[in-house]
Amino acid sequence: MWRKALVSYAGGVLLKQPWWRTIAARLSSSSKATSSSVAVNSILLRSLKDHYLEVSKMTPPPKVSPPSPFTVVKGSIDSGGAILKRSYGEEEIGISVMRLANIIPGGGEDDDEEDDGMNQLFVHVEISKPGQQDSLHFLCGLYPDALGIHSVSMRSKMESSEAAALPVLLSRYNGPTFEHLDEKMRDALHGYIEERGINESLFPFLQAWLYVKDHRNLMRWFKSVGTFVTQAKEGASPAS
């Protein structure tokens, strides 16, 4: 350890330690460091296991089905793409969701604001038509009793498939700010998506879906961190 001096004073005269004592001190320090590392890993692994077991016993929310005619996209719980889909005439509609708190970090530091954050969802709606290169995108705030449009934009279908994640979409131009449009156009755009079933009726399913996804991600995180720590401990070379 760096706090151990390799030199000492005796009667005001600087005395150098013999080289074999220096080597012994280094070996002792290395041994203590290894022992300390094992102890720290053991504490961390025990904590990860305890939290994993605690989270695994949490009661999941009641199962909620999406409002008809929306259906759940297969495999969406483990991906970052669309969660719900439906057809409307010749149109194909896909819906993705995130918590608004995950997009605006640092918001909701007290308990009341944190609870409100659970009821604030950020929804991305993509509407596409066959034979058209572009699709229409709505970025919306969804609440238990209301839906508000943030912006409306046009994007190529290729760009949409490559940038399905909401943070990527947020980093690009999404059209004019919705509140800057005149009231007549705002009402018309609200009517357009409401006609396609995009409204507050989606909230119960999307909120329950996010609870399940968050729970699964948390379980996966505890497990993956534990696996990493275990492998690092067991895979370390004795000579390292």
Side-chain angles (χ1 to χ4, degrees), residues 101-134:
N102 293 343
I103 300 173
I104 308 175
E109 294 184 355
D110 58 43
D111 293 339
D112 292 337
E113 290 181 354
E114 185 175 349
D115 291 339
D116 290 341
M118 302 298 287
N119 292 326
Q120 300 176 357
L121 307 183
F122 193 85
V123 175
H124 166 225
V125 181
E126 180 181 358
I127 304 174
S128 61
K129 294 182 178 181
Q132 294 200 17
Q133 295 182 349
D134 294 336

Side-chain angles (χ1 to χ4, degrees), residues 20-197:
W20 60 85
R21 291 186 59 192
T22 300
I23 294 176
R26 289 176 180 174
L27 290 175
S28 177
S29 297
S30 176
S31 177
K32 290 180 180 179
T34 301
S35 177
S36 175
S37 177
V38 171
V40 169
N41 286 355
S42 179
I43 294 172
L44 176 57
L45 289 171
R46 189 182 307 114
S47 179
L48 288 168
K49 181 179 180 180
D50 290 344
H51 283 81
Y52 180 91
L53 293 175
E54 182 179 352
V55 172
S56 67
K57 296 176 182 177
M58 293 174 61
T59 303
K63 187 174 182 180
V64 181
S65 298
S68 178
F70 286 97
T71 59
V72 181
V73 177
K74 186 177 180 180
S76 60
I77 195 73
D78 294 314
S79 70
I83 298 166
L84 296 176
K85 65 178 181 179
R86 67 159 294 186
S87 297
Y88 182 83
E90 64 176 5
E91 299 173 356
E92 292 295 329
I93 301 174
I95 298 177
S96 305
V97 66
M98 289 181 66
R99 295 197 191 283
L100 194 61
N102 293 343
I103 300 173
I104 308 175
E109 294 184 355
D110 58 43
D111 293 339
D112 292 337
E113 290 181 354
E114 185 175 349
D115 291 339
D116 290 341
M118 302 298 287
N119 292 326
Q120 300 176 357
L121 307 183
F122 193 85
V123 175
H124 166 225
V125 181
E126 180 181 358
I127 304 174
S128 61
K129 294 182 178 181
Q132 294 200 17
Q133 295 182 349
D134 294 336
S135 56
L136 184 60
H137 293 253
F138 288 82
L139 298 180
C140 309
L142 179 62
Y143 307 88
D145 57 353
L147 179 140
I149 300 174
H150 288 291
S151 66
V152 184
S153 63
M154 296 294 298
R155 297 190 180 281
S156 70
K157 292 181 180 178
M158 181 177 296
E159 180 182 2
S160 300
S161 63
E162 293 175 349
L166 287 174
V168 176
L169 287 169
L170 286 170
S171 66
R172 303 181 183 183
Y173 180 67
N174 290 308
T177 303
F178 191 73
E179 63 183 10
H180 291 164
L181 300 174
D182 63 61
E183 185 177 357
K184 184 177 180 179
M185 179 171 285
R186 294 199 302 268
D187 290 343
L189 287 169
H190 269 292
Y192 182 86
I193 60 172
E194 288 174 1
E195 178 68 20
R196 288 155 177 78

